[in-house]
C-alpha cells in the first residue's frame, strides 16, 4: 500500500493492514504524524479487502504524546481530534500495538482504537500534569471509563507510567504480545478479532464504571485532601480532578467540553509554560559543549567514600542502590560503625514503608564495606571525599589519595564551599579532580552539582555526568566559585532575609511570603529545621547576630523546642514573642528605624538579587546556560516548578526590565548589595533574551 507521507507507511499482512509511524525521537503527534494517522486509516478503510488495522510505531517507542514544541504555534494539517475520529469511527477494528511508552496524546490515540496490545516492557500513562496540563484529547473522559474514576484520578494527577502487566489487569490493554514480537503479536490478535467477529469497541460508550461512581462526591473530596500537600500551588492537578468529575457526572460529549475548556485554560496559562520550560531544561542540562558520545568514559565499578557522616553515608547509599560496591573509609572504628549502622537503619526504615524489600536491605548494605585504612581505596575507580569543610584537612586527604589511588581513578570532593582548584593543586593529577556536590539528605535529594575545576578533564566530566544519571540524579555542570551555583544564589536571599528582619519584617513574615510564593519553607523555618548552631561555636560567639543570641539562649531550632519560632511537642511552629523582642532590641541598638515592609517588598528583596546573581554566574561562565540554574534551584532548593526556576521567572514572568529597575531602585536605597549584573543591564539595554545572548 506504500507510503502515506514521510512518517507513515501502510502495508498489509493478508487481511490486516499495518499502519506504521516513524517520527524520531519519540513519535510525538506533530502535524505529519497526525496526517499520517488520518490519511493512513482513511486509505486502509477504503480498501474492502482490509478487515482490521494495526497501528504501530517504529523506533524506541509508541507515540509519547502531543508534540510539546508545537504548543503555542498555529496548528496545521488534521487536528488530533480529526485523527482520533478517523480511528474511532473506522469501519473495521483498529488495534494499537504498544511498545516503549504510550503517553499523553499517544495513549489518548490508543484509547480511540478499538483494542490495545502491548509488549510486557511497555508503559502507559497520562503525564500531562507534569507539564502543567491535562490530557486534552479525550483522555480524561475515556480513561475512567476503562479503569474507573479512582485509578484514573491517581494516574492523571501523578502522571505515573503504568507497566503493561498492570495495564492488562486494569483492562487498559487487552492482550500482551511476546517481547520483541509486537508486530506479529498484534497482527495475530487482529486476525483473532476478525475471526471471532468481535465488536468495534468504543471506549466512549463504556459507561458502567463512571455511572457506578455517580452521586459519590466523597471520592473526589477524599482524593483532593490526599494530594493537597503535594500539589500546593499547582493548577493542573485540580483541573485534572474536575475533568474526571465531569466524566462521572456528565455525558461523554459534555465531559469533553469541560476537558477542552480546562485544557485551553492550562495550555495558555503561565504555569504550563513554566513547566514546559522545565521539561526541556531537564533534558538540556545533560548537554555539555565539547563533550559527546565519543568522549571517553572511565568505567566505574567500585566507589570509595571518605567520611561516614551524614553526607558520606547518604552518598554511599546512592551507589549501593545502583548496584555499585562502595568502600567507606573513616579514621576510627567507632564513627565508622556508627555510620554503617545509620545506613542500615535508613534502609530498614525504607523497607518498613514498603518501598524496598528486606532482601534489598541485605543486598544494598552488603555492597557497602567499611575500613579505617585509606589504602582500601587503592582499587576504586572513583573516590568521593566527604569530610568536614577544612582546606588543610581536604588537601591532606587529596595528597594521600594521589599516592594511594590507581592511575585513571577520579578524585572527587563533596565540598560545598571550598576552592576545588586549590584542592586539586596538591595532587600530581589535577585533571582527575572534580567536585561532586551532593545535597543533604544525599540519598534523597535529586540534585548533583558537578563542579568542573580549572584542569578537570573532559573524560572525568563526561563520566561524572553519566554516573549521575545512573544513580538517578539530575546533574548540572557548574564552575568553581564561592557556593558554586546553588548556594551562591542562596546567600543572596539569606542576606536580604536577615536585613529585612532588622528593617521591620519579622521572620514569620519573610517565611510566609516565600512559602506562599511556592517554596517549601522560608529561610528562618529552614534554619530552625537545620539547627541554628550548625557551624556555630559558643566560645567564638560575640552575640553580634540574632543567631548568636538565640544559640546562647539555647534556642537552637526545632531540636531544642525553640529557635526563631516556638515549637510544641508535635513540632508545630508559632511566632515567638521572645524573638520579636530580641529583634526589636537589636534594631534599636543598631539604630535602625524599623518600618512597615510590604509582602511585595519582601518578595522582591529576596528574589531579585537571586536572579541578578544568576546573571553574574552566567557572565562569569560558572553555569553553561540559564536553564541549568533553574534546574539547580528547582531540584536542590524546592523552587516551585510552576514558576520555572529563578532565571525563567525573572525573564518570562516578571520581565528583565522590571528586575533591573527594582535592582537599581534598591541599590539607591540600600547600597551595592543590589548592584545590577552587567549581563542583566546588557540584556535590557539591547532588548535581548538570555537565549538570544547565547545563554
Ligand atoms: C500531550 O500529549 C497533550 C495532549 O493530551 C493533548 C493534546 C491536545 N514532544 O526524554 P528523552 C524529545 S502533552 C516533543 O530524553 P527518554 C525530548 O525533548 C505530552 N519532543 O528520552 C528529547 O529531545 P532532545 C504528554 C519530545 O527515552 C527527545 O525527545 N507526553 C516529546 O529518556 C528524547 O526525550 C509527555 O509528557 C514530546 N512530547 O524518555 C511525555 N517527548 O533529544 C514526554 C520527548 O532534543 N516525554 N521529546 O533533547 C517523556 O516523558 C520522555 O521523553 C519519554 C522518553 C519517556 C517519552
Amino acid at each position: 500500500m506504500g507510503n502515506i507521507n514521510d512518517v507513515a507507511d501502510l502495508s498489509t499482512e493478508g487481511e490486516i493492514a499495518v499502519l506504521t509511524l516513524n517520527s524520531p525521537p519519540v513519535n510525538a503527534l506533530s502535524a505529519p504524524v497526525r496526517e499520517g494517522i488520518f490519511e493512513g486509516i482513511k486509505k486502509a478503510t477504503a480498501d474492502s479487502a482490509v478487515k482490521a488495522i494495526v497501528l504501530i510505531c517504529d523506533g524506541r517507542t509508541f507515540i509519547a504524546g502531543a508534540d510539546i514544541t508545537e504548543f503555542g504555534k498555529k496548528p496545521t494539517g488534521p487536528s488530533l481530534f480529526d485523527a482520533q475520529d478517523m480511528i474511532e469511527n473506522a469501519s473495521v477494528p483498529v488495534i494499537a500495538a504498544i511498545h516503549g511508552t504510550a503517553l499523553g496524546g499517544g495513549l489518548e490515540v490508543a484509547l480511540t482504537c478499538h483494542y490495545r496490545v502491548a509488549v510486557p516492557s511497555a508503559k502507559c500513562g497520562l503525564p500531562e500534569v507534569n507539564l502543567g496540563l491535562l490530557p486534552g484529547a479525550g483522555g480524561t473522559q475515556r480513561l475512567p471509563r476503562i479503569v474507573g474514576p479512582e485509578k484514573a484520578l491517581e494516574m492523571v494527577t501523578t502522571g505515573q507510567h503504568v507497566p503493561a502487566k498492570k495495564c492488562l489487569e486494569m483492562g487498559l490493554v487487552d492482550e500482551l504480545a511476546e517481547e520483541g514480537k509486537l508486530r506479529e503479536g498484534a497482527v495475530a490478535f487482529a486476525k483473532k478479532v476478525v475471526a471471532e467477529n468481535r465488536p468495534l469497541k468504543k471506549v466512549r460508550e463504556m459507561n458502567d464504571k463512571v455511572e457506578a461512581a455517580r452521586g459519590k462526591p466523597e471520592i473526589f473530596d477524599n482524593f483532593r485532601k490526599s494530594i493537597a500537600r503535594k500539589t500546593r500551588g499547582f493548577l493542573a492537578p485540580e483541573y485534572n480532578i474536575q475533568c474526571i468529575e465531569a466524566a462521572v457526572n456528565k455525558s461523554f460529549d459534555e465531559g469533553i467540553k469541560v476537558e477542552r475548556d480546562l485544557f485551553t485554560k492550562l495550555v495558555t496559562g503561565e504555569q504550563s509554560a513554566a513547566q514546559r520550560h522545565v521539561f526541556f531544561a531537564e533534558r538540556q542540562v545533560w548537554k555539555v559543549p565539547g563533550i559527546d558520545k565519543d568522549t571517553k568514559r572511565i568505567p566505574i565499578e567500585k566507589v570509595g567514600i571518605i567520611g561516614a557522616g551524614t553526607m558520606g553515608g547518604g552518598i554511599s547509599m546512592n551507589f549501593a542502590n545502583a548496584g555499585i560496591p562502595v568502600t567507606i573509609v573513616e579514621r576510627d572504628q567507632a564513627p565508622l560503625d556508627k555510620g554503617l549502622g545509620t545506613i542500615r537503619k535508613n534502609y530498614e526504615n525504607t523497607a518498613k514503608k514498603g518501598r524496598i524489600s528486606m532482601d534489598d536491605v541485605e543486598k544494598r548494605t552488603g555492597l557497602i564495606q567499611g575500613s579505617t585504612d585509606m589504602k582500601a581505596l587503592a582499587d576504586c575507580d572513583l573516590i568521593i571525599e566527604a569530610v568536614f569543610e577544612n582546606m588543610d584537612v581536604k588537601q591532606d586527604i587529596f595528597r594521600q589519595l594521589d599516592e594511594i589511588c590507581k592511575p585513571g581513578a577520579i578524585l572527587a570532593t563533596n565540598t560545598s564551599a571550598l576552592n576545588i582548584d586549590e584542592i586539586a593543586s596538591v595532587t600530581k593529577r589535577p585533571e582527575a579532580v572534580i567536585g561532586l556536590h551532593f545535597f543533604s539528605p544525599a540519598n534523597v535529594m535529586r540534585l548533583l552539582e558537578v563542579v568542573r575545576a580549572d584542569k578537570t578533564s573532559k573524560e572525568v566530566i563526561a563520566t561524572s555526568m553519566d554516573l549521575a544519571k545512573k544513580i538517578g540524579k539530575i546533574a548540572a555542570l557548574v564552575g568553581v566559585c564561592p557556593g558554586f551555583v546553588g548556594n551562591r544564589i542562596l546567600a543572596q536571599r539569606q542576606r536580604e532575609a536577615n536585613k529585612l528582619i532588622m528593617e521591620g519584617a519579622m521572620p514569620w513574615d519573610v517565611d510566609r511570603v516565600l512559602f506562599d510564593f511556592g517554596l517549601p519553607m522560608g529561610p528562618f523555618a529552614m534554619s530552625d529545621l537545620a539547627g541554628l548552631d550548625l557551624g556555630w561555636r559558643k566560645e567564638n560567639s560575640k552575640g553580634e547576630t540574632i543567631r548568636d543570641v538565640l544559640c546562647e539562649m539555647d534556642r537552637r531550632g526545632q531540636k531544642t523546642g525553640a529557635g526563631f519560632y516556638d515549637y510544641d511537642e508535635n513540632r508545630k511552629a508559632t511566632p515567638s514573642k521572645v524573638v520579636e523582642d530580641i529583634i526589636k532590641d537589636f534594631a534599636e541598638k543598631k539604630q535602625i528605624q524599623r518600618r512597615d515592609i510590604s509582602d511585595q517588598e519582601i518578595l522582591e528583596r529576596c528574589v531579585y538579587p537571586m536572579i541578578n546573581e544568576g546573571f553574574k554566574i552566567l557572565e562569569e561562565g560558572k553555569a553553561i546556560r540559564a536553564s541549568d540554574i533553574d534546574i539547580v534551584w528547582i531540584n536542590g532548593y524546592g523552587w516551585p516548578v510552576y514558576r520555572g526556576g529563578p532565571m525563567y521567572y525573572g525573564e518570562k514572568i516578571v520581565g528583565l526590565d522590571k528586575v533591573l529597575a527594582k535592582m537599581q531602585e534598591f541599590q539607591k536605597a540600600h547600597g551595592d548589595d543590589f548592584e545590577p549584573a552587567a549581563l542583566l543591564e546588557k540584556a535590557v539595554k539591547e532588548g535581548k533574551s538570555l537565549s538570544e545572548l547565547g545563554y
Side-chain angles (χ1 to χ4, degrees):
M1 290 185 130
N3 271 359
I4 301 294
N5 62 12
D6 285 350
V7 301
D9 176 80
L10 195 62
S11 60
T12 49
E13 288 199 21
E15 302 177 320
I16 312 297
V18 180
L19 178 58
T20 308
L21 304 173
N22 185 9
S23 178
V26 295
N27 291 305
L29 289 157
S30 60
V33 172
R34 296 193 303 267
E35 183 193 60
I37 297 173
F38 184 86
E39 296 297 339
I41 301 284
K42 195 164 146 191
K43 188 165 177 188
T45 47
D47 182 342
S48 60
V50 169
K51 296 289 183 269
I53 305 166
V54 168
L55 174 65
I56 194 166
C57 291
D58 266 350
R60 66 212 241 199
T61 179
F62 189 75
I63 304 164
D67 185 340
I68 306 167
T69 59
E70 275 189 0
F71 289 152
K73 295 184 191 148
K74 209 171 159 268
T76 56
S79 72
L80 182 50
F81 304 103
D82 296 337
Q84 287 179 299
D85 285 348
M86 187 58 82
I87 295 172
E88 200 166 45
N89 299 325
S91 50
V92 296
V94 183
I95 292 108
I98 302 171
H99 76 295
T101 44
L103 299 177
L107 180 57
E108 292 174 294
V109 165
L111 283 168
T112 53
C113 294
H114 307 103
Y115 296 95
R116 287 153 295 279
V117 174
V119 286
S121 62
K123 289 184 176 154
C124 297
L126 293 174
E128 283 87 343
V129 72
N130 297 326
L131 298 167
L133 294 173
L134 53 86
T140 66
Q141 304 305 300
R142 289 193 180 86
L143 184 68
R145 283 179 158 74
I146 294 191
V147 306
E150 284 94 343
K151 264 262 145 266
L153 280 171
E154 198 185 318
M155 282 179 70
V156 296
T157 55
T158 59
Q160 62 191 219
H161 299 182
V162 181
K165 241 176 108 184
K166 194 108 182 277
C167 292
L168 183 70
E169 284 163 23
M170 296 194 303
L172 195 51
V173 159
D174 297 286
E175 195 171 281
L176 293 186
E178 196 181 321
E179 198 68 57
K181 294 197 172 157
L182 180 59
R183 185 180 165 118
E184 295 91 319
V187 168
F189 181 83
K191 285 183 178 158
K192 199 161 60 184
V193 168
V194 174
E196 293 173 6
N197 208 8
R198 290 202 204 174
L200 290 166
K201 228 165 80 183
K202 291 186 187 175
V203 177
R204 59 183 288 152
E205 291 166 357
M206 298 163 60
N207 289 326
D208 293 358
K209 290 202 167 135
V210 284
E211 278 170 8
R214 215 164 269 176
K216 294 183 185 159
E218 64 278 8
I219 296 176
F220 298 98
D221 296 344
N222 293 340
F223 190 76
R224 281 193 172 91
K225 275 186 214 136
S226 73
I227 63 163
R229 225 170 66 97
K230 256 204 220 141
T231 57
R232 180 177 71 94
F234 287 89
L235 285 179
E238 170 57 27
Y239 283 21
N240 270 281
I241 296 173
Q242 288 179 20
C243 286
I244 307 291
E245 249 173 340
V248 165
N249 296 321
K250 295 176 188 278
S251 70
F252 182 84
D253 287 328
E254 281 171 335
I256 287 284
K257 274 192 208 133
V258 172
E259 182 190 272
R260 188 90 302 253
D261 179 41
L262 294 178
F263 179 81
T264 306
K265 281 193 181 135
L266 289 177
V267 80
T268 53
E270 206 170 73
Q271 290 204 352
S272 174
Q275 288 179 254
R276 284 175 344 239
H277 158 77
V278 176
F279 176 86
F280 289 113
E282 278 175 349
R283 283 152 181 84
Q284 278 290 101
V285 76
W286 299 101
K287 295 172 190 162
V288 179
I291 288 179
D292 57 25
K293 58 179 185 356
D294 297 330
T295 311
K296 212 182 123 230
R297 266 62 171 183
I298 302 158
I300 305 292
E301 275 149 27
K302 196 170 171 205
V303 173
I305 309 282
I306 306 174
T310 315
M311 248 5 237
I315 296 171
S316 306
M317 291 171 75
N318 283 292
F319 294 101
N321 295 348
I324 302 172
V326 180
T327 300
I328 306 184
V329 172
E330 255 294 349
R331 251 198 325 224
D332 300 310
Q333 194 64 41
L336 180 62
D337 290 343
K338 189 171 167 223
L340 293 173
T342 306
I343 291 173
R344 169 167 282 278
K345 228 183 282 152
N346 284 341
Y347 277 135
E348 283 171 355
N349 284 340
T350 313
K352 266 187 215 139
K353 289 180 197 146
R355 287 200 219 120
I356 56 171
S357 66
M358 274 315 283
D359 223 33
D360 292 329
V361 175
E362 292 312 321
K363 246 187 242 151
R364 294 179 197 193
T365 48
L367 281 169
I368 303 177
Q369 280 184 355
S371 172
T372 52
D373 184 358
M374 288 275 277
K375 293 203 183 71
L377 302 171
D379 63 343
C380 290
D381 306 295
L382 161 71
I383 298 92
I384 306 174
E385 162 280 309
V387 305
F388 59 94
E389 299 282 15
N390 176 301
M391 182 57 86
D392 291 342
V393 174
K394 296 210 186 224
Q395 284 186 329
D396 183 49
I397 287 174
F398 273 76
R399 268 188 213 103
Q400 291 183 55
L401 288 177
D402 201 15
E403 294 297 316
I404 292 165
C405 297
K406 66 181 184 188
I410 299 179
L411 311 184
T413 170
N414 177 51
T415 183
S416 62
L418 300 177
N419 185 322
I420 299 173
D421 291 318
E422 281 178 36
I423 297 176
S425 71
V426 300
T427 71
K428 288 185 286 297
R429 39 175 142 173
E431 70 286 351
V433 177
I434 195 164
L436 294 179
H437 180 208
F438 288 79
F439 287 67
S440 187
N443 53 320
V444 178
M445 296 292 288
R446 259 188 96 204
L447 180 66
L448 180 70
E449 278 183 331
V450 175
V451 194
R452 176 211 308 245
D454 256 359
K455 299 204 170 117
T456 311
S457 74
K458 278 186 188 178
E459 290 74 20
V460 168
I461 295 172
T463 305
S464 300
M465 296 298 282
D466 280 12
L467 193 62
K469 203 169 232 176
K470 187 163 181 195
I471 61 173
K473 299 286 173 200
I474 184 152
L477 183 64
V478 303
V480 176
C481 57
F484 311 130
V485 166
N487 284 343
R488 178 168 164 180
I489 289 177
L490 179 69
Q492 295 289 316
R493 187 188 82 181
Q494 197 61 43
R495 185 196 62 228
E496 287 312 305
N498 287 333
K499 275 161 51 184
L500 283 162
I501 62 170
M502 281 294 123
E503 290 171 35
M506 280 293 153
W508 31 96
D509 298 324
V510 176
D511 283 353
R512 173 180 43 78
V513 168
L514 292 171
F515 180 78
D516 289 348
F517 181 74
L519 285 152
M521 61 179 85
F524 299 103
M526 186 73 211
S527 297
D528 275 3
L529 181 67
L532 295 185
D533 55 355
L534 205 77
W536 178 86
R537 275 165 201 258
K538 195 166 190 159
E539 52 280 17
N540 298 339
S541 174
K542 298 193 185 91
E544 277 176 353
T545 62
I546 305 265
R547 175 174 97 149
D548 281 351
V549 177
L550 294 179
C551 283
E552 282 168 19
M553 292 169 72
D554 248 350
R555 296 184 66 102
R556 298 186 181 197
Q558 286 196 15
K559 60 184 176 189
T560 56
F564 284 101
Y565 296 82
D566 292 331
Y567 293 90
D568 68 11
E569 59 286 2
N570 299 319
R571 296 206 166 192
K572 190 178 171 316
T574 42
S576 159
K577 180 79 178 75
V578 178
V579 172
E580 187 172 332
D581 291 343
I582 294 172
I583 291 172
K584 285 182 177 158
D585 193 43
F586 233 89
E588 205 177 301
K589 274 195 207 130
K590 296 204 163 193
Q591 296 182 330
I592 297 170
Q593 188 67 37
R594 287 177 66 82
R595 61 188 168 93
D596 279 344
I597 298 183
S598 69
D599 288 359
Q600 175 86 0
E601 180 178 343
I602 291 175
L603 187 67
E604 290 170 349
R605 286 270 301 274
C606 287
V607 173
Y608 291 5
M610 295 168 62
I611 300 166
N612 191 54
E613 197 65 23
F615 274 85
K616 291 185 184 168
I617 286 168
L618 288 173
E619 70 195 23
E620 290 169 25
K622 303 299 180 190
I624 297 171
R625 49 184 89 79
S627 64
D628 289 4
I629 300 179
D630 291 336
I631 289 298
V632 166
W633 259 76
I634 287 169
N635 293 285
Y637 303 82
W639 181 281
V641 180
Y642 56 82
R643 294 193 206 272
M647 304 313 284
Y648 178 89
Y649 178 73
E651 181 164 8
K652 297 288 187 330
I653 301 183
V654 179
L656 294 183
D657 51 343
K658 292 207 184 78
V659 175
L660 177 62
K662 269 287 165 197
M663 288 299 289
Q664 288 164 335
E665 182 190 318
F666 289 146
Q667 189 181 20
K668 267 196 204 123
H670 307 284
D672 283 344
D673 283 345
F674 294 93
E675 185 178 14
L679 182 61
L680 172 60
E681 288 177 321
K682 180 179 155 90
V684 174
K685 193 164 153 221
E686 296 179 8
K688 289 201 172 132
S689 67
L690 273 165
S691 78
E692 282 167 338
L693 289 168
Y695 299 98

